[in-house]
Amino acid sequence: MKKIVLIGSGGSGKSTLARQLGEKLKIRIYHLDSLFWKPNWVGVPKDEQIKVQSEVVKKEKWIIDGNYGGTMDIRLNAADTIIFLDIPRTTCVFRAFKRVLQYRNKTRPDMGEGCKERFSFEFFKWIWDYPKTKKPEILEKLQELSKEKAIIILKSPKDVEKFLEKV
């Protein structure tokens, strides 16, 4: 495990797991949210996202957390390990709401500078719809990559805990 990708719904725990793995494995973490959001929630153009990720994946070791489906193949193809946090959507929604309260009017450590935490109905709808809209295509992609990559699917906070104990 030297090149690790973490994917999953918002609120699934990607950034938290990335930090924990980074500490244990002594590998630098790249939070895509902090790379792809400029102050006041201005998104980075896709060509810049491609450029940034293409540079990161050339490094010897890395952990990258985030979805960004339009550029996901860059990370997946370069990774040796892909971790999919397939956490129940009720847990994800609860965590996202808790995060809104915890970081209200502040920027999270894994978010772009100047992007204060906020409530967004669209984001919560995206989380709720994730199992139907995003998960099927991710599982299909993981199946295709399963012969050449280590694929780890964690389905609960308990699974995440057990996984971290084994690392």
Side-chain angles (χ1 to χ4, degrees), residues 92-108:
C92 295
V93 166
F94 172 77
R95 287 175 171 175
F97 187 71
K98 185 175 140 187
R99 189 168 68 194
V100 167
L101 296 176
Q102 181 181 358
Y103 291 101
R104 193 167 150 250
N105 294 323
K106 292 184 240 166
T107 300
R108 293 192 326 257

Side-chain angles (χ1 to χ4, degrees), residues 68-129:
Y68 298 87
T71 61
M72 191 179 290
D73 285 341
I74 295 169
R75 302 183 300 283
L76 297 183
N77 291 330
D80 59 35
T81 305
I82 302 165
I83 301 171
F84 176 42
L85 294 175
D86 187 15
I87 307 299
R89 65 180 165 189
T90 51
T91 302
C92 295
V93 166
F94 172 77
R95 287 175 171 175
F97 187 71
K98 185 175 140 187
R99 189 168 68 194
V100 167
L101 296 176
Q102 181 181 358
Y103 291 101
R104 193 167 150 250
N105 294 323
K106 292 184 240 166
T107 300
R108 293 192 326 257
D110 52 23
M111 183 50 75
E113 195 62 42
C115 293
K116 292 181 179 177
E117 193 63 26
R118 63 184 183 179
F119 177 85
S120 162
F121 178 76
E122 293 78 20
F123 180 62
F124 280 87
K125 183 172 177 0
W126 181 81
I127 293 171
W128 191 257
D129 292 344

Side-chain angles (χ1 to χ4, degrees), residues 32-46 48-49 68 107 111-116 118:
L32 294 183
D33 281 342
S34 70
L35 297 172
F36 297 160
W37 288 105
K38 293 181 180 178
N40 299 312
W41 295 95
V42 174
V44 169
K46 189 172 177 180
E48 192 176 328
Q49 291 180 19
Y68 298 87
T107 300
M111 183 50 75
E113 195 62 42
C115 293
K116 292 181 179 177
R118 63 184 183 179

Side-chain angles (χ1 to χ4, degrees), residues 58-69:
K58 289 178 188 173
K59 298 178 186 297
E60 187 181 335
K61 294 180 179 182
W62 42 261
I63 297 171
I64 301 174
D65 87 83
N67 290 299
Y68 298 87

Side-chain angles (χ1 to χ4, degrees), residues 36 45-55 70-71 74:
F36 297 160
K46 189 172 177 180
D47 60 332
E48 192 176 328
Q49 291 180 19
I50 291 168
K51 183 180 171 202
V52 167
Q53 286 178 83
S54 297
E55 288 303 311
T71 61
I74 295 169

Side-chain angles (χ1 to χ4, degrees), residues 1-2 4 21-22 25-29 61-63:
M1 280 198 312
K2 290 182 178 180
I4 305 164
L21 278 177
L25 300 173
K26 306 291 184 244
I27 297 176
R28 183 165 175 197
I29 303 153
K61 294 180 179 182
W62 42 261
I63 297 171

